[in-house]
Amino acid sequence: MDASPLSRRAVMKGILLGSAAPWVVNLRAFAASSCADHIVRIAALFQPDSMNPFATWASSWPTTFTYDTLVGVDPQRHSDRKGFAKEWSVADDELTWTFKIWPGMKWSDGQPATARDAAFTYNYLRGSMGKPDELNIGFNNTDGLDNVASITALDDETLQIVARKPTRWPADNFILIVPEHIWKDVSYADARGTFRNDPPLVGTGPMIVTEFQQGQFVRFTPNEYFRTGKPRITGMILNTFSTADPIAQGLKSGNLDYGLNLTAAQWDELSKDSSIAVGQQRIEQRNYLAFNTLAANGAGSTKALQDPLFRDAIGYAIDQKAIVDRAFRGHADPGVGLAMPIATDYYSELNDIRRHFDLAEAARRLDAAGYRDTNGDGVREDKEGKIFQLELITGTSSGVLEMPIATVQLVAGWLGQIGVPVSVTQLDSGALNARTAAPAKGGGGWDLLVRGGWLSPSAHDLLGLGSSKNIGTGNVSYWTNDEFDGLLSEVDRTADVKKSRALVDQAARLIYTEAPYIVLCYPFVLDAHLKNCFEGWGTDDAVSMWGYFPFDRLSPI
């Protein structure tokens, strides 16, 4: 940790200490790369801690290579990327959804994979609801299932989901379908706790996890029963890191075939190498400044954090365009509201209420709200007469793009200029999650947070950042608002996109005005792959962020 402005020496020391061990221990899986063995070696900023999707959010990569979603994001964007269901439809009542499962599909152990497995997965979650061991903490969770009346396998190839109110959840959810014959005897307590689902996993995806060395790598073998045919590559190794430095080095040395989560500087350098192809794409990540709005246990150092006028004034001190230009070198879109540009059904510029960067206006609004510098020392006092000295915590969670430290430096600098100095604490993924957990679980006690979050582009997930149900998980500002929750509840009971759009717009305007979050930017994912070993990487988005494309169809050159 260090006081603002955050020193580059302290930052680099933290990065080196955090990355030294993974860099060393990964060498065995990392260094033997060659085209001859037809094994694809990839790397990303992930820190998987278990292969159990009911117990963790940290393992979406690699589990999405082994398990299918019923539908989810990719199949609704790309006709050639279907999941567990081959096709789907909704009745005119917008309540009854029918999913046709691939005929003759098998699990990787050769057992039939049918609609009954999909029904089991969802009903396994439903059966836990309201119990002490409710499955509500992992990638596979009960969120959205309270609006489901029934989930039934009508036959091996037909799954029916009947909702209580119109909703798009049956198609939008990204729950991973698991085999009943593996999970049926796992208790809820074990599923959310001790059961690690150790390899080899059993799935319907193209690449099956066969070895997992936490903090090092995950090894995969091709699924010989994959529904479109066994993949043509002979295997895959996912190297996991906490910083992008070894990923860039691995691409330069030829020890990696593909690298994800590159920084702008690394991407720019790699783009000059003729043996490497670089790519970028918009994703659903939002980088934001969050305020700790708690008033009791876990509250921050000043009641000002609970005041929308204080938070709104701070918003005028944030220059989103400068963050994009200076911290991300142009590889991001400036932040506005909850919806990001790739969520095309819901994105809005909010032009009629959008703040503009103006330090003088920020200072004027702080004065008007009662937060003045009464003694002329350059530091403002809150309404209790205490000088401001806010703690800003920051870090990168598993599976989220790395935050350039320049982002934090810029934010800290601007706040200092308006008389609200901050000290910065840099945390690793685990410590960051612990500090931002619900107060009942020991979280809170900080003032400001700069962080990134990444969920799906569904209306439900876009609004999850402000949901009172998500406090300590998706909602890290601890903000609650009955009107906002009511709008989210209506969204969850709406299948019509036009109606959802209007509700999301209302909610987005409400939370923008209340300002528990200031969205800084929507970063692009930057990646690169070698050109000499494999073909079939795709074009617009070389690697899907919501599935296993193109690893189901890569071919050795």
Side-chain angles (χ1 to χ4, degrees):
M1 69 182 67
D2 191 18
S4 177
L6 194 60
S7 74
R8 186 173 300 275
R9 179 179 297 175
V11 173
M12 290 308 300
K13 180 179 178 182
I15 288 174
L16 291 171
L17 286 174
S19 62
W23 176 248
V24 173
V25 295
N26 279 9
L27 286 176
R28 183 173 57 183
F30 202 54
S33 180
S34 72
C35 295
D37 62 13
H38 298 166
I39 295 174
V40 180
R41 289 168 172 83
I42 67 178
L45 296 186
F46 278 85
Q47 294 297 311
D49 50 12
S50 166
M51 294 297 103
N52 177 356
F54 297 93
T56 183
W57 278 95
S59 302
S60 55
W61 269 35
T63 51
T64 51
F65 294 108
T66 291
Y67 297 116
D68 275 299
T69 54
L70 184 63
V71 180
V73 177
D74 252 13
Q76 297 186 73
R77 288 179 175 170
H78 305 276
S79 61
D80 63 337
R81 302 184 196 176
K82 299 295 174 60
F84 203 83
K86 181 179 181 181
E87 55 191 49
W88 60 94
S89 61
V90 60
D92 291 341
D93 63 5
E94 297 184 338
L95 297 175
T96 304
W97 291 74
T98 302
F99 301 86
K100 300 301 292 184
I101 308 305
W102 294 89
M105 185 164 58
K106 292 183 179 181
W107 294 102
S108 55
D109 63 358
Q111 295 293 313
T114 72
R116 304 184 197 285
D117 293 289
F120 165 80
T121 302
Y122 289 117
N123 286 322
Y124 184 64
L125 287 163
R126 288 182 73 216
S128 76
M129 293 175 68
K131 296 180 178 178
D133 296 316
E134 180 174 347
L135 300 175
N136 57 5
I137 62 170
F139 195 82
N140 279 11
N141 62 73
T142 56
D143 192 24
L145 282 163
D146 53 348
N147 189 33
V148 172
S150 65
I151 301 176
T152 309
L154 302 181
D155 56 46
D156 282 354
E157 297 176 14
T158 311
L159 179 74
Q160 183 186 80
I161 299 180
V162 179
R164 303 182 193 279
K165 300 286 184 180
T167 178
R168 290 199 56 79
W169 180 90
D172 286 347
N173 79 84
F174 44 83
I175 289 169
L176 301 173
I177 306 301
V178 300
E180 180 178 11
H181 64 281
I182 300 294
W183 287 85
K184 64 182 180 180
D185 296 323
V186 180
S187 70
Y188 294 140
D190 288 344
R192 63 172 282 150
T194 58
F195 183 68
R196 292 183 55 82
N197 195 28
D198 289 327
L201 305 191
V202 175
T204 52
M207 303 302 297
I208 303 302
V209 175
T210 53
E211 183 181 2
F212 170 43
Q213 296 294 331
Q214 187 170 347
Q216 301 181 46
F217 64 90
V218 184
R219 192 183 302 273
F220 304 79
T221 57
N223 180 0
E224 63 178 300
Y225 296 107
F226 187 55
R227 58 185 171 272
T228 61
K230 182 180 178 180
R232 290 183 285 273
I233 58 178
T234 60
M236 187 166 78
I237 297 172
L238 167 62
N239 294 272
T240 60
F241 295 104
S242 59
T243 177
D245 291 343
I247 300 176
Q249 291 299 324
L251 287 162
K252 290 177 187 177
S253 66
N255 288 325
L256 282 177
D257 298 296
Y258 174 79
L260 183 66
N261 309 120
L262 297 169
T263 67
Q266 292 163 348
W267 189 90
D268 289 345
E269 183 179 354
L270 291 170
S271 69
K272 301 171 186 175
D273 189 326
S274 61
S275 68
I276 296 174
V278 296
Q280 66 176 347
Q281 57 178 300
R282 286 188 168 98
I283 55 170
E284 293 80 7
Q285 182 166 323
R286 297 168 290 200
N287 290 352
Y288 50 76
L289 169 68
F291 299 82
N292 179 349
T293 65
L294 288 169
N297 183 33
S301 65
T302 173
K303 293 181 180 178
L305 299 167
Q306 304 159 32
D307 184 355
L309 294 177
F310 174 80
R311 303 191 300 256
D312 175 67
I314 296 297
Y316 282 87
I318 305 299
D319 187 347
Q320 280 91 345
K321 186 177 185 304
I323 288 173
V324 169
D325 292 342
R326 295 165 62 182
F328 287 85
R329 301 192 182 189
H331 298 291
D333 290 311
V336 186
L338 290 182
M340 62 293 295
I342 197 173
T344 53
D345 287 330
Y346 303 107
Y347 178 70
S348 170
E349 294 279 356
L350 302 177
N351 286 324
D352 57 323
I353 62 171
R354 188 170 178 175
R355 302 178 192 93
H356 55 278
F357 175 63
D358 188 334
L359 291 176
E361 178 65 12
R364 187 193 69 77
R365 288 175 178 259
L366 286 172
D367 285 342
Y371 304 103
R372 300 182 178 89
D373 176 12
T374 59
N375 59 8
D377 65 353
V379 179
R380 295 176 183 271
E381 297 90 35
D382 65 14
K383 293 179 181 179
E384 283 70 46
K386 296 187 299 181
I387 63 169
F388 282 109
Q389 181 59 57
L390 305 183
E391 181 195 22
L392 187 157
I393 62 173
T394 188
T396 302
S397 298
S398 176
V400 176
L401 302 187
E402 189 172 359
M403 182 81 68
I405 198 60
T407 305
V408 179
Q409 292 173 325
L410 287 168
V411 170
W414 291 321
L415 268 58
Q417 289 181 60
I418 59 171
V420 183
V422 302
S423 61
V424 177
T425 302
Q426 181 92 11
L427 301 170
D428 63 25
S429 178
L432 187 66
N433 291 338
R435 289 291 303 274
T436 57
K441 296 183 178 179
W446 49 271
D447 298 317
L448 304 174
L449 163 70
V450 171
R451 184 183 191 179
W454 188 348
L455 278 177
S456 85
S458 71
H460 174 88
D461 282 350
L462 291 175
L463 302 188
L465 198 64
S467 170
S468 62
K469 293 182 179 179
N470 291 347
I471 284 179
T473 53
N475 179 357
V476 291
S477 75
Y478 311 118
W479 178 74
T480 61
N481 183 283
D482 290 342
E483 182 181 357
F484 186 93
D485 283 344
L487 290 167
L488 175 54
S489 181
E490 286 189 64
V491 162
D492 288 343
R493 301 192 302 271
T494 303
D496 181 81
V497 173
K498 186 176 180 180
K499 293 178 182 177
S500 291
R501 185 181 299 122
L503 293 167
V504 169
D505 187 66
Q506 280 184 261
R509 290 170 177 275
L510 172 60
I511 198 171
Y512 188 91
T513 303
E514 288 279 318
Y517 300 92
I518 307 296
V519 180
L520 304 176
C521 68
Y522 314 107
F524 302 160
V525 66
L526 304 180
D527 60 5
H529 68 266
L530 299 188
K531 298 177 181 178
N532 63 331
C533 286
F534 301 94
E535 60 185 3
W537 289 99
T539 53
D540 292 338
D541 51 349
V543 168
S544 168
M545 298 297 103
W546 288 103
Y548 37 69
F549 175 87
F551 299 105
D552 57 333
R553 60 195 77 180
L554 285 182
S555 297
I557 294 177

